[in-house]
Structures are given as structure tokens and as C-alpha cells.
Amino acid sequence: MTPFHLLLLFLVFFNIATSSESKLTLDYYKKTCPGLQQTIRQVITDKQIASSTTAAATLRLFFHDCMVNGCDGSILVSSNAFNTAERDADINLSLPGDGFEVVTRAKTALELECPDIVSCADILALAARDLVTMVGGPYYDVRLGRKDGFVSKASEAEAAMPKPTMPLSQIIKIFEARGLSVQEMVALTGAHTIGFTHCKEFSHRLYNFSKKSDYDPKLYPKYAEGLRKLCENYTKDPTMSAFNDVMTPNKFDNMYYKNLQKGLGLLASDQAMAVDGRTKPYVDLYAGNQTAFFQAFARAIEKVSVYQVKTGRKGEVRHRCDAFNSLQT
């Protein structure tokens, strides 16, 4: 065999090996960190017991991470003198601290157990899945092997994230740009069955809505009254908030869709889904069939979890989740 053929054979083998290494797998850490799942479950259990909003906070954090250049842990990076990171974009300032804290705790535990092995992106993906299951939601597979990204910019987050004040058509386009259908968007928005939203995000629906009505007439009147009282001092206290699901706020179920049918949707963009012809059939389906919602959510979030992931040399395993390794040396 000539040297040329030997070189060609080596290159083919190298490319195959590199390709296989860069694929996500369910058992990626089986040999390098066998206690990974158990460690994460212990950390998230302790945190969820201590703070019941942890599940919603972590799921939201995961979604915000994936929507901006893929699931690469970029949402976890802190800003510094040279860069304003994703987490400090206006759209992300309301992200609850519980999500960041549970990832930090898990990373600290795993660095003691298997240092420099498990990426922050994988920790966030696993923690979100396990917490959803813990509060009653569906179990879904999380393939592992993500690397942590090298970029985190607030400007990119502002451009990529859907906002509750956007028209539904604009939100649909944001999801479609990431390969997600209208049905998948409706299923993913069902994550609002847990967690809370700060009053400033929906205050425009409660006060001076129009010349004819003080509040958005799409809101159930007594619900609107209650929200107006709850949020009346929100300009003085920006932390004031309301549960997304007023009926079962800490349980992952299909009550969120039932609420939309009754005018109990907190966000205008959510309430719009109950009447728009493109989304209403799915709202009605999930309101009447929790199993259908769970199956659709599991498929959609699994799809989101592998969106533009970084593998191989396209990323790193951060020593700390809040800083790139280049800034920690």
C-alpha cells in the first residue's frame, strides 16, 4: 500500500472517529461519570423541596438558552467589563435565580465527582427534564454530549427570543425559524403551566387598556380584578408577580390550556392562542387530553434540546458555568 493510500485510509478513519465522537448519546457519560444522573437528581430534589419555583425556573432557563444559538449553556455566562452576556439582556433579567443556582450546585458536586467531564449545557438539559418529571410532567429522553459554547451576547438574545407583547404571527415565525411547527409551539408554551411572570410583563392588559375598558376584555372579569389588585404597586416593586397558572401553579398538567379557554391566560400572547385559527385546535386538544399534551410536549422539548448543539472542538467543558475557561486561567 502506497503512502498516499495509507494517508487516505487514516483520514477516512479520523473523520469517522471524529463524527462518532461528536454525536449525542443517552449514555455519553457512562464510563467517564457513571454517577451523573444520581448526583443531579439529588441536587435538584433538595433544591425543589427548598424552593418550589425551581422546576419552572430551570425549564425556562433551558428554553432561553436553546433559543439563542442552540443549547450550549451560553445563558449561564456572567457579563464582564468586555462583554454583556445573554443573561443580562432585558428579556432575561426576569429569569429567576433558582434556575442558575441549581445548575451551579450540580456543577460543583460533579466537579468533585468527575472534574472537567460534564458540560454545563448537559447539566441544564438534564436538570430541566428531571424537574419537569418531578412536578408531574412527562419523562423524555435527553441525549448527552453537548459542549459549552464560546459566545454569549445580550444583543443576540434580544433578537432571538419571543416576547409576550409580540403579535402571534411574529412569535410563530421565531419558532418556525428554528424548525418548530405551530403545534410544537403551542405544546412548548404549555410549560407556562408552572412558574410565574412579573407584573410588568402583562400590566398593559390591566390598566388603561383602552378608552372603552380599563383592562383587556379578553380577561375573565374577576380574574382581571384580582390581577389589578395584586399588581397595583408593581412600578414601585418590580419583583411583584403572578402565577402563570392560577389553578395549579406548581403542577405540570394541562390546566394551562383549560385556563386559556376561560379567559384566564396571564400573557396576551398566550391568550391569543385560544382564539387564533392556527393555534386554537391545539389549545382545545390539549385542554381536553392531557396525554396528548404530554406526548406533544415531550417530542417538542426533545427536539429543542438538540437544537444547534456544539460538539467536539466547537465548544468546551467549562470549569465554572458562569465563565468561559479562557477567562478562568
Side-chain angles (χ1 to χ4, degrees):
M1 189 176 286
T2 66
F4 172 78
H5 286 106
L6 283 170
L7 177 62
L8 190 63
L9 188 64
F10 170 77
L11 289 172
V12 169
F13 173 79
F14 178 79
N15 284 333
I16 292 172
T18 304
S19 175
S20 64
E21 285 175 3
S22 66
K23 290 179 181 176
L24 303 187
T25 60
L26 294 174
D27 59 353
Y28 187 83
Y29 297 106
K30 185 176 180 180
K31 293 181 179 178
T32 55
C33 194
L36 167 67
Q37 304 270 2
Q38 185 177 347
T39 298
I40 286 186
R41 281 176 189 151
Q42 185 59 58
V43 169
I44 67 163
T45 299
D46 292 345
K47 186 71 175 70
Q48 178 66 19
I49 290 171
S51 176
S52 62
T53 60
T54 300
T58 308
L59 178 57
R60 189 177 169 204
L61 189 66
F62 176 61
F63 179 74
H64 279 233
D65 183 41
C66 294
M67 289 294 281
V68 185
N69 297 323
C71 311
D72 62 356
S74 53
I75 190 70
L76 304 169
V77 174
S78 294
S79 297
N80 57 39
F82 310 102
N83 178 55
T84 304
E86 276 178 41
R87 68 193 292 173
D88 287 320
D90 284 346
I91 190 72
N92 290 330
L93 291 176
S94 61
L95 289 172
D98 287 329
F100 293 99
E101 188 178 335
V102 76
V103 173
T104 300
R105 288 187 187 185
K107 179 65 171 175
T108 301
L110 287 166
E111 284 301 297
L112 293 172
E113 189 177 329
C114 33
D116 298 329
I117 296 294
V118 185
S119 69
C120 301
D122 274 347
I123 291 171
L124 178 54
L126 276 175
R129 190 274 310 278
D130 288 350
L131 281 160
V132 164
T133 307
M134 189 180 296
V135 294
Y139 179 91
Y140 55 90
D141 286 333
V142 175
R143 285 179 281 162
L144 302 169
R146 296 166 190 77
K147 291 295 174 64
D148 299 320
F150 295 125
V151 177
S152 179
K153 293 186 179 297
S155 57
E156 293 182 351
E158 288 295 344
M161 290 301 303
K163 299 174 180 64
T165 53
M166 284 179 175
L168 193 56
S169 292
Q170 190 175 351
I171 294 174
I172 288 173
K173 285 180 182 177
I174 290 173
F175 278 83
E176 285 179 340
R178 286 151 185 78
L180 296 163
S181 68
V182 171
Q183 182 171 7
E184 288 168 331
M185 180 198 76
V186 176
L188 289 167
T189 311
H192 290 168
T193 187
I194 52 175
F196 61 87
T197 299
H198 290 99
C199 291
K200 68 174 183 176
E201 301 295 338
F202 54 89
S203 60
H204 63 286
R205 303 187 72 197
L206 304 179
Y207 310 104
N208 305 313
F209 183 76
S210 69
K211 291 180 180 179
K212 293 182 179 180
S213 177
D214 283 340
Y215 59 84
D216 186 346
K218 295 186 183 72
L219 286 166
Y220 183 71
K222 287 188 177 180
Y223 182 50
E225 263 179 53
L227 289 174
R228 282 165 61 86
K229 289 178 182 176
L230 176 69
C231 296
E232 61 185 354
N233 292 318
Y234 82 95
T235 54
K236 297 176 183 175
D237 182 2
T239 64
M240 296 191 77
S241 57
F243 287 121
N244 295 325
D245 174 357
V246 69
M247 306 302 287
T248 55
N250 294 315
K251 184 181 180 184
F252 199 101
D253 55 20
N254 68 333
M255 186 61 72
Y256 160 81
Y257 299 104
K258 294 179 180 180
N259 289 343
L260 293 184
Q261 292 176 323
K262 298 172 184 174
L264 300 175
L266 191 64
L267 301 175
S269 54
D270 287 5
Q271 191 62 61
M273 293 197 308
V275 294
D276 190 286
R278 295 165 293 182
T279 51
K280 186 180 186 298
Y282 304 120
V283 170
D284 293 343
L285 170 63
Y286 301 148
N289 188 333
Q290 181 167 282
T291 300
F293 164 48
F294 278 15
Q295 290 173 345
F297 178 84
R299 285 193 299 268
I301 197 71
E302 215 174 315
K303 189 173 177 180
V304 168
S305 75
V306 296
Y307 176 66
Q308 288 190 355
V309 296
K310 279 71 174 176
T311 55
R313 295 182 180 180
K314 293 180 180 178
E316 64 182 0
V317 175
R318 286 188 212 129
H319 307 311
R320 284 179 41 166
C321 292
D322 63 353
F324 304 120
N325 289 346
S326 60
L327 298 175
Q328 297 179 46
T329 54

